[in-house]
Amino acid sequence: MGSYNCTFLTFFCVFVAVLGIESWNHCTSNPNCRCIPKDNKNYIADCSNLAITEVPRTRPDVDTLNIGHNRISHIMHPFSPTLVNLDMSYNQLQNFTHDVFANLTRLRTLNLEGNQLQLDDSVLRPEVFRDIKALRSINIKKTIVKAPSTFPYNMWVHLSLLETLRIDVISSTQFGRQFRSLRSLTVLDVSGCSGFCSIEEIGEKFLENLPHLEMLDLSCCQIKGFSAGALKKQRNITVLDISYNERLTFASFANITSDLQFSKIKVFKANKIHCTYGLGTVIQIRDVMHFRNTSLEELYLENNRLALVERYAIRYFPHTLRIVSLVRNKMSPGTYLMDVVFLTGMESLDLSLQMGSTPISDLIDAFTCQNPIRPSNNTIESHSNKFNTEPFQMRYNTSITETLPRNLRTLILRTCGIRLELFRILVNPSNQLSHVDLSQNVITSFTGPIIGFNKLKYLDLSDCLCSSLSTWSSKNRKHISDFHQMKCKLDNGTSFGFQDIETVLRLLEIQCKNYQVLIFIITSVIVFFVIIIVTGLIYRYRWKLRYLFYMTKNKYRLVRPIYRDTFTFDAFISYADEDSDFAVHESISQLEESRGLRLCLSKRDFRPGTEIAANITEAITKSRKTIIILSNHFLNSYWCMYEFNMARMESIYTRNGKHVLFMVMYRHVTAKMLPLSMLALVESHSYIEYPDDPQGNIVFWDKVADTCRNPSD
């Protein structure tokens, strides 16, 4: 009876939907959606990125609906029961009614990523998923994860056919006994690279209720350790990704590989499980010895600061290993290279970007990530003598004889810091090598002969500074297929055929010899004169530049002149320390106490904790006049001359040329001792001499006070 009611209800919903769409011929009720034919009978309705707030209705022939990246917060009406795939990602969904997925008995994939759903049992309730028992894949990443919270343990009761689960996890997450009902679950993606993941330790019980997994993604999960036995029950695992867990390092590597020997592992990714900075790492036998009991096919250990491999460790890799990628490490040559020949099944080896520079984005890693030293001192420094490491470079007239893995087809050594001259290269003729990339190294000469590469089809020596490559290719043209159809492109964009290579080589030789030295000389001369001119200009305007700098630092307006006579001080007294008795005591007594002036004195009014230069500039700017107590001591003082020149700049650039400086000849100074800038002022403007007698002193101080009170003329 229940089955009859369900069938009737489904028929009724379809009937109502058909009646409802008589008024629109589009595959959805929203004409802005894109209808994409899927096969002869069904359509894909793409309603993504339309800023819609309601779910459009669909025709019965639509089995895939994409309403991702919209503004939908509520589901107002039931979905069509014919849907097989439903994408609701990146909307504003916060909760579900119990019948939101009612009658979606055919639904196989559901994407809820990027909504505002709370990842717990209060939102993801069992009754919500009651009718979608055929669901095979669900994505509920980038939701709201709060700790402590109740992980959704009960929603899985109706999803026994689920095969793929993509979900966020936190350190308190446990895949409990409720997950044992997911016997079809083969793919578990908890990667923080595509969502949120925070798991400090993978314990023995973390995955014990998910024994049927075939693909497990634990990348970007902030993992610090793997317990021994954590993966022991994963007998069906074929793909494992633990990449981008920088704090994991190789301390737990042996625990992981030991568990994998009981599995069906085919692809193992452990990229960047080591800090960007710090000591180099040595791969030891104990790290990889258990791989010999597996059927591993692909191994990725990129960006791990790997420097060496313990001798004989390579022999523990299985013969099934086809692809090895060690990109962006610090590999140095050692005796372990002789064991590469034992990798008989290897088809591709990528060693590019060894000794390469570190991206700026990884600089923070230097302060937050530390690589622990394993008990056996697993570092490049402690093993350097044992492994006989040498810089990766070869001397002149180098002859190389090498035996390659018999199935190796692709070898990539791009940007590896290789420095050598290649003369004679001999390899075992039974090799299968067809693709070699040696670009962006320093191979200064390539003359050959090269013997044994019978199946080589692609050789990249670009950006290698090979001085004799074209000579070599010209002499060995009979060994290069389609030699006369080949073309070479120059830096200026012109190209030529290889049949004219001798002529072009002669032209290039003449051009290089004639102009390289000349260009260098001309460039050097130009740079030299530019430096002289710039240096001269800086010296010529040194006081102006200093003035502008400190004015800017003091946050003053540099170009607006002062029009009103509003100053904090009447005068700033500039003097040498040897003249302080006169400059300080006399001026305070005669000008401040007797005549009521406001003076600025360095020992009294400069702000403590501020640079001397900044104090001087501020004092001059806030004073109506700058009084120079001129003496031989003054001329010999750096800071006194600095005060004089800053006051001179104030007159020129802020006071519209009005006089700021007022010079008092305290001690007689000969004209030849005066600098040109000061001599010009003495000759063009009057100054006053200190009389040093009782009657003359009264007139002297009256003149000084009168000058300080009046605005600049």
Side-chain angles (χ1 to χ4, degrees):
M1 185 68 179
S3 175
Y4 172 79
N5 289 337
C6 182
T7 303
F8 175 77
L9 185 59
T10 301
F11 173 78
F12 178 75
C13 291
V14 173
F15 178 73
V16 171
V18 171
L19 290 178
I21 63 173
E22 287 181 352
S23 59
W24 41 274
N25 296 322
H26 197 266
C27 69
T28 73
S29 59
N30 189 328
N32 294 321
C33 296
R34 295 167 293 279
C35 299
I36 306 170
K38 185 177 180 181
D39 49 41
N40 293 331
K41 295 185 288 186
N42 297 316
Y43 283 85
I44 298 174
D46 185 357
C47 304
S48 61
N49 295 287
L50 296 179
I52 59 177
T53 58
E54 294 184 2
V55 178
R57 297 180 182 274
T58 59
R59 291 192 320 217
D61 55 357
V62 173
D63 69 354
T64 299
L65 174 61
N66 183 356
I67 54 174
H69 295 271
N70 283 297
R71 302 174 184 173
I72 300 172
S73 59
H74 297 88
I75 310 299
M76 306 301 295
H77 55 78
F79 293 99
S80 169
T82 61
L83 289 181
V84 176
N85 307 295
L86 176 58
D87 188 342
M88 303 166 62
S89 60
Y90 296 95
N91 277 282
Q92 301 173 11
L93 298 172
Q94 298 182 14
N95 210 330
F96 294 122
T97 59
H98 70 279
D99 60 348
V100 64
F101 301 126
N103 304 309
L104 291 180
T105 57
R106 298 177 56 191
L107 193 67
R108 295 176 66 89
T109 65
L110 176 61
N111 189 352
L112 298 173
E113 179 180 326
N115 280 282
Q116 301 175 17
L117 300 169
Q118 181 76 24
L119 190 61
D120 57 31
D121 279 331
S122 65
V123 175
L124 303 176
R125 306 181 302 279
E127 60 268 24
V128 173
F129 304 93
R130 180 182 60 242
D131 291 341
I132 54 175
K133 298 179 181 179
L135 195 68
R136 298 295 193 273
S137 175
I138 185 171
N139 183 349
I140 44 179
K141 284 198 166 193
K142 295 186 179 179
T143 52
I144 299 176
V145 182
K146 294 183 179 179
S149 62
T150 305
F151 193 69
Y153 294 109
N154 300 316
M155 64 175 285
W156 319 105
V157 64
H158 300 299
L159 305 179
S160 59
L161 298 180
L162 192 67
E163 298 173 355
T164 300
L165 172 60
R166 307 186 190 280
I167 195 169
D168 296 330
V169 296
I170 56 178
S171 56
S172 61
T173 299
Q174 294 293 330
F175 293 99
R177 297 176 61 87
Q178 298 89 336
F179 285 85
R180 291 186 179 181
S181 61
L182 303 181
R183 297 181 179 178
S184 300
L185 188 65
T186 58
V187 178
L188 176 62
D189 177 3
V190 297
S191 171
C193 299
S194 57
F196 178 80
C197 182
S198 176
I199 315 172
E200 290 192 359
E201 181 77 22
I202 302 295
E204 293 184 54
K205 297 184 178 181
F206 185 72
L207 297 168
E208 66 175 354
N209 295 308
L210 299 171
H212 307 290
L213 293 180
E214 297 178 6
M215 298 179 63
L216 176 60
D217 192 344
L218 294 169
S219 59
C220 304
C221 280
Q222 307 176 44
I223 301 173
K224 295 182 180 179
F226 254 88
S227 299
L231 299 173
K232 193 171 184 178
K233 292 186 178 180
Q234 303 303 317
R235 302 296 180 92
N236 298 310
I237 197 78
T238 58
V239 179
L240 175 62
D241 192 346
I242 60 170
S243 302
Y244 304 102
N245 289 294
E246 291 91 337
R247 291 164 180 78
L248 178 61
T249 71
F250 284 83
S252 301
F253 203 78
N255 290 346
I256 300 171
T257 57
S258 177
D259 290 345
L260 291 178
Q261 67 178 317
F262 305 107
S263 70
K264 300 177 181 178
I265 190 69
K266 299 292 184 184
V267 180
F268 182 42
K269 296 182 179 181
N271 300 325
K272 207 176 192 311
I273 61 169
H274 193 284
C275 297
T276 303
Y277 297 90
L279 301 176
T281 298
V282 177
I283 295 296
Q284 296 181 337
I285 290 177
R286 67 174 183 175
D287 297 327
V288 298
M289 61 184 294
H290 300 291
F291 277 138
R292 62 183 172 182
N293 300 322
T294 70
S295 298
L296 186 68
E297 296 181 1
E298 300 180 22
L299 177 63
Y300 301 88
L301 296 174
E302 301 174 3
N303 203 4
N304 277 315
R305 209 169 181 82
L306 296 178
L308 288 173
V309 180
E310 184 177 1
R311 191 171 186 184
Y312 306 125
I314 291 178
R315 301 187 185 188
Y316 287 88
F317 287 101
H319 298 303
T320 55
L321 188 61
R322 298 185 300 105
I323 299 174
V324 177
S325 180
L326 298 172
V327 174
R328 201 180 288 279
N329 280 290
K330 304 292 180 182
M331 299 299 293
S332 299
T335 53
Y336 68 92
L337 291 174
M338 294 186 293
D339 291 335
V340 175
V341 69
F342 290 97
L343 299 177
T344 56
M346 185 169 61
E347 299 175 4
S348 174
L349 176 60
D350 192 344
L351 288 167
S352 57
L353 298 172
Q354 302 300 315
M355 312 296 178
S357 58
T358 302
I360 296 178
S361 58
D362 287 347
L363 289 178
I364 189 65
D365 195 24
F367 306 97
T368 61
C369 188
Q370 299 293 328
N371 292 309
I373 298 178
R374 292 196 268 179
S376 59
N377 294 323
N378 179 259
T379 64
I380 176 60
E381 285 75 8
S382 61
H383 289 76
S384 58
N385 293 330
K386 179 179 178 182
F387 294 105
N388 188 26
T389 61
E390 296 179 359
F392 199 7
Q393 57 185 2
M394 300 183 182
R395 299 178 181 275
Y396 293 99
N397 299 320
T398 298
S399 177
I400 302 176
T401 302
E402 185 60 64
T403 301
L404 299 176
R406 64 185 181 211
N407 288 312
L408 184 64
R409 290 175 170 80
T410 301
L411 177 61
I412 303 177
L413 296 170
R414 183 179 68 254
T415 318
C416 287
I418 299 175
R419 301 180 64 87
L420 74 163
E421 293 189 7
L422 295 179
F423 284 83
R424 183 177 184 274
I425 301 179
L426 174 63
V427 299
N428 54 312
S430 60
N431 73 86
Q432 304 295 315
L433 198 62
S434 61
H435 183 113
V436 177
D437 186 347
L438 285 167
S439 60
Q440 299 180 31
N441 288 290
V442 181
I443 304 176
T444 56
S445 178
F446 195 106
T447 56
I450 300 175
I451 304 172
F453 292 101
N454 300 325
K455 297 188 178 181
L456 187 63
K457 296 181 179 179
Y458 178 91
L459 175 61
D460 191 343
L461 291 169
S462 58
D463 298 318
C464 279
L465 304 178
C466 296
S467 61
S468 56
L469 180 58
S470 300
T471 303
W472 174 84
S473 60
S474 178
K475 292 181 179 179
N476 296 274
R477 64 182 67 188
K478 64 180 180 180
H479 300 295
I480 301 176
S481 60
D482 300 325
F483 177 84
H484 293 289
Q485 280 70 44
M486 294 175 64
K487 290 187 176 181
C488 182
K489 190 174 183 179
L490 300 179
D491 291 338
N492 59 12
T494 60
S495 60
F496 60 89
F498 265 41
Q499 67 272 13
D500 301 323
I501 192 169
E502 288 83 1
T503 303
V504 175
L505 286 175
R506 285 194 295 270
L507 291 174
L508 288 175
E509 185 177 0
I510 294 173
Q511 292 176 359
C512 293
K513 285 184 178 179
N514 285 346
Y515 297 109
Q516 283 187 347
V517 175
L518 181 61
I519 291 173
F520 173 78
I521 294 174
I522 293 175
T523 303
S524 300
V525 171
I526 292 174
V527 171
F528 176 74
F529 278 105
V530 168
I531 292 174
I532 291 178
I533 293 172
V534 171
T535 304
L537 289 174
I538 292 175
Y539 182 79
R540 172 67 178 82
Y541 295 103
R542 64 190 185 281
W543 291 111
K544 178 180 179 180
L545 294 174
R546 286 185 180 184
Y547 176 77
L548 294 177
F549 170 76
Y550 282 104
M551 288 292 284
T552 303
K553 196 169 184 179
N554 289 338
K555 299 181 180 179
Y556 286 102
R557 297 296 296 272
L558 304 182
V559 297
R560 188 178 65 181
I562 297 176
Y563 293 105
R564 294 184 301 170
D565 189 25
T566 56
F567 297 96
T568 305
F569 303 102
D570 292 304
F572 166 57
I573 309 298
S574 176
Y575 61 92
D577 288 340
E578 292 82 355
D579 304 326
S580 60
D581 287 341
F582 167 78
V584 176
H585 299 116
E586 288 291 324
S587 62
I588 291 177
S589 173
Q590 296 295 334
L591 296 179
E592 280 195 340
E593 296 176 357
S594 300
R595 292 169 176 81
L597 268 66
R598 295 165 298 169
L599 302 181
C600 180
L601 298 166
S602 59
K603 291 184 178 180
R604 184 187 67 181
D605 299 307
F606 277 14
R607 290 187 297 168
T610 304
E611 293 180 75
I612 296 176
N615 266 318
I616 292 172
T617 308
E618 184 177 0
I620 292 171
T621 306
K622 290 184 176 181
S623 302
R624 183 180 295 107
K625 292 285 187 179
T626 296
I627 299 177
I628 302 297
I629 308 300
L630 189 61
S631 67
N632 289 327
H633 297 304
F634 185 97
L635 297 176
N636 294 327
S637 170
Y638 171 82
W639 287 115
C640 287
M641 294 305 297
Y642 183 90
E643 291 168 351
F644 166 76
N645 282 289
M646 287 298 103
R648 190 163 58 89
M649 295 300 107
E650 175 80 4
S651 296
I652 297 172
Y653 297 108
T654 305
R655 308 282 181 95
N656 277 342
K658 294 183 178 180
H659 303 322
V660 172
L661 283 165
F662 180 62
M663 299 180 63
V664 173
M665 188 72 74
Y666 176 56
R667 293 283 185 259
H668 180 70
V669 179
T670 60
K672 66 179 182 180
M673 296 182 63
L674 296 175
L676 293 178
S677 56
M678 187 175 290
L679 183 61
L681 288 174
V682 171
E683 291 178 349
S684 60
H685 303 290
S686 61
Y687 63 92
I688 187 170
E689 293 187 5
Y690 180 62
D692 198 13
D693 67 78
Q695 294 300 323
N697 286 354
I698 296 174
V699 177
F700 168 81
W701 289 115
D702 286 340
K703 289 183 178 180
V704 173
D706 184 59
T707 303
C708 292
R709 287 193 184 97
N710 294 326
S712 300
D713 297 328

